[in-house]
Amino acid sequence: MSAKPLVSVCIQTYQHRNFIAAAIDSVLSQQTDFEWEIIIGEDDSTDGTREICQSYAAKYPGLIRL
């Protein structure tokens, strides 16, 4: 991925353990012909949301910024 994506998809989350994976997967499933990124704003959830976000960021390091 280039250093300058054309689109940034921002996902804000807090205490959404039951929903965050589906939200991220939904964005990842999109097909485009331009560079894009996912920026996840996670506000120190205590229900496991942060750990899910961290695992996605580790799996997609050039695409997801946490």
Side-chain angles (χ1 to χ4, degrees), residues 38-61:
I38 300 173
I39 300 171
I40 302 174
E42 197 290 312
D43 199 17
D44 202 23
S45 299
T46 59
D47 69 344
T49 300
R50 182 163 189 78
E51 290 76 12
I52 294 168
C53 293
Q54 288 172 326
S55 70
Y56 273 91
K59 187 173 180 180
Y60 301 95

Side-chain angles (χ1 to χ4, degrees), residues 1-2 35-38 57-65:
M1 175 180 281
S2 70
E35 298 293 326
W36 58 282
E37 67 181 347
I38 300 173
K59 187 173 180 180
Y60 301 95
L63 187 58
I64 296 178
R65 292 193 295 153

Side-chain angles (χ1 to χ4, degrees), residues 2-55:
S2 70
K4 294 184 179 184
L6 181 61
V7 172
S8 296
V9 178
C10 300
I11 300 174
Q12 313 309 319
T13 187
Y14 178 71
Q15 303 291 79
H16 289 134
R17 176 190 66 223
N18 295 331
F19 312 104
I20 191 63
I24 296 169
D25 287 336
S26 175
V27 176
L28 289 171
S29 71
Q30 302 302 307
Q31 296 181 3
T32 67
D33 59 357
F34 52 83
E35 298 293 326
W36 58 282
E37 67 181 347
I38 300 173
I39 300 171
I40 302 174
E42 197 290 312
D43 199 17
D44 202 23
S45 299
T46 59
D47 69 344
T49 300
R50 182 163 189 78
E51 290 76 12
I52 294 168
C53 293
Q54 288 172 326
S55 70

